[in-house]
Amino acid sequence: METAKPGPAFEFRVLGPLTVVKDGVELPMSANRELVILASLLLNANRVMSVERLIEAVWAGSAPPSAWRQVAICVSRLRRTLGAGLIETSSPGYLLRAAPGSIDWLRFTSMVARSRTLAAAGSAEAAVLLLREALALWQGRPFEDIRGLRYDVARMEESRLEALETCLELEIELGRHHQVIPELLALVAESPFRERVRAQLMLAQYRAGRRAEALRTYQETRRYLLEQIGLEPGPALRRLHEQILRDESALMRPMGESASAHRAAGVVPCQLPPQVLPFVGRAEELAALDAALLQDDSGPATVVISGPVGVGKSTLALRWAHGQIDAFPDGQLYADMTDADPGAVLDRFLRALGVPACDLPGDPAEKLALYRSCTARGRVLVVLDNARDSDQVRPLLPGGAHCRVVVTAEDPLDDLVARQGAHRAFLAPLPEEAARELAGLLVGASPARAQAVRDLVATSCGNPLSLRLAAARLRSRRASPAGQPAA
């Protein structure tokens, strides 16, 4: 029998000039519109890109009436160049099938994620080696002169800078402060507004015995920020400056030592309440949470689960959170926000993350800056249950690109969606079949209880809380001694 021939091997390079290599041979790619469409599909590999988004990427708001037809023509040409089967038509647009290892951008994000796991496990040296390997994939600025992809480029560039900052910070922890100073000086020149980089430079200079230079770096930073945007340096940078002035011994300890010691003692915060059981249905809603919170690892993400009282918002949030504990090795923080003061919740979160109570700043802005510093490089899940409004949630959003937040609220929190880019998930009542399954699990599915199940489903209208309360009352009546009414 004839053996099927393997398909062509592709390599896509987008971390620099867009290059396509097929079976070891670089393909000619010259038409600008085709490049834009290919770039968009590659950045969203194995996900459907709508025609509308492709049009926006190509024409950036000034599309001609024939835009749909022109996109179809470009896709047809790409298929001829790349071969059949790589680009699929999938409503409402197109999908590019590619192995994650064939796209350098996906390799980069995967390696950065693995390095974070290594760093959290205490393997700083291995994490640095992996980050350096990931950063070496960059061969220039991606997609130059493609205006429609400027937001994607900004996101990618932010991921590169964050990976480089993390790498340099780990190297400082490993005692290589002398070696990283030249690279930090170059990074400050490249990104002068990034205060984290300036703080790293100050710390490296101080540890290298160059205290005067560290203080001068702070003064130059303060002068630059005041001249350019009229603002003083942030709380974290001001605090570091004061520590250097006082020659605090803590500056010579590896950064994050207290939190590391906290974790070494076996205390990684896992504050999730128990799941509400039994749990039925909601497969589509759980899949939607996976898509919003797990698929894209290049930036922070928040989901607001809204819906009427008793519809199961908290139950769904906890079900998803418990199922994804391994994805957040640095902790899972939980707060019931019913009448809660965000400042008090923030204090609890900071203590859970290893900050001693005596080290909590009194200033709310400094406290928030410390919280975001503690979560900046970790994989932390934050569940804020029963939130009242966006103002109650916003001070508790972590700072890390790899942190995730799940909020439950009756109100859809449109302001949080608009300002923070949160995803919205509206929870509807349970479908009749799922409600019937839940009722059967709660009161028993025997033929003798079939009528009770039907009554529970009918009276609850798919509201899980109403159904659970009614089932509990029914069980209570059955358990009461003969002649004695249930309480």
Side-chain angles (χ1 to χ4, degrees), residues 363-413:
D363 179 66
E366 288 194 18
K367 193 179 298 182
L368 178 58
L370 179 59
Y371 171 58
R372 290 179 174 164
S373 296
C374 288
T375 56
R377 292 165 298 284
R379 299 185 75 88
V380 178
L381 173 65
V382 180
V383 179
L384 303 175
D385 207 4
N386 303 309
R388 180 182 64 249
D389 52 36
S390 299
D391 290 338
Q392 198 185 30
V393 170
R394 199 173 288 111
L396 299 171
L397 297 178
H402 308 288
C403 295
R404 298 293 182 262
V405 182
V406 178
V407 182
T408 71
E410 287 183 55
D411 186 272
L413 305 189

Side-chain angles (χ1 to χ4, degrees), residues 285-323:
E285 291 85 348
L286 289 168
L289 289 174
D290 285 346
L293 297 170
L294 297 180
Q295 287 188 4
D296 188 352
D297 202 35
S298 61
T302 299
V303 168
V304 177
I305 304 173
S306 63
V309 174
V311 78
K313 302 181 294 294
S314 300
T315 300
L316 176 66
L318 290 175
R319 179 72 170 191
W320 186 87
H322 276 279

Side-chain angles (χ1 to χ4, degrees), residues 182-351:
E183 195 169 1
L184 283 167
L185 287 167
L187 192 53
V188 165
E190 178 188 347
S191 304
F193 290 105
R194 296 181 78 89
E195 293 191 24
R196 180 185 174 191
V197 178
R198 291 183 179 265
Q200 290 173 341
L201 175 59
M202 288 169 60
L203 184 59
Q205 289 170 327
Y206 181 82
R207 289 189 179 178
R210 295 152 64 172
R211 180 172 178 267
E213 288 183 30
L215 293 172
R216 187 175 63 197
T217 296
Y218 177 81
Q219 294 301 331
E220 290 173 352
T221 299
R222 181 174 182 271
R223 184 165 56 250
Y224 182 84
L225 293 175
L226 285 171
E227 289 175 355
Q228 296 297 319
I229 55 177
L231 292 177
E232 291 280 352
L237 206 58
R238 294 200 304 270
R239 188 176 182 186
L240 176 60
H241 177 238
E242 292 167 3
Q243 289 177 304
I244 292 173
L245 285 172
R246 292 194 296 265
D247 277 323
E248 288 190 8
S249 58
L251 290 176
M252 300 306 293
R253 293 200 304 264
M255 291 177 289
E257 184 178 277
S258 61
S260 299
H262 200 60
R263 284 195 294 270
V267 187
V268 173
C270 185
Q271 302 179 340
L272 300 175
Q275 295 187 61
V276 179
L277 298 174
F279 182 93
V280 301
R282 304 301 194 196
E284 290 185 8
E285 291 85 348
L286 289 168
L289 289 174
D290 285 346
L293 297 170
L294 297 180
Q295 287 188 4
D296 188 352
D297 202 35
S298 61
T302 299
V303 168
V304 177
I305 304 173
S306 63
V309 174
V311 78
K313 302 181 294 294
S314 300
T315 300
L316 176 66
L318 290 175
R319 179 72 170 191
W320 186 87
H322 276 279
Q324 301 300 334
I325 281 179
D326 290 343
F328 300 97
D330 298 306
Q332 308 89 45
L333 304 174
Y334 173 89
D336 184 349
M337 301 302 293
T338 306
D339 299 323
D341 171 31
V345 174
L346 188 56
D347 284 350
R348 294 204 305 271
F349 282 0
L350 283 168
R351 290 196 298 271

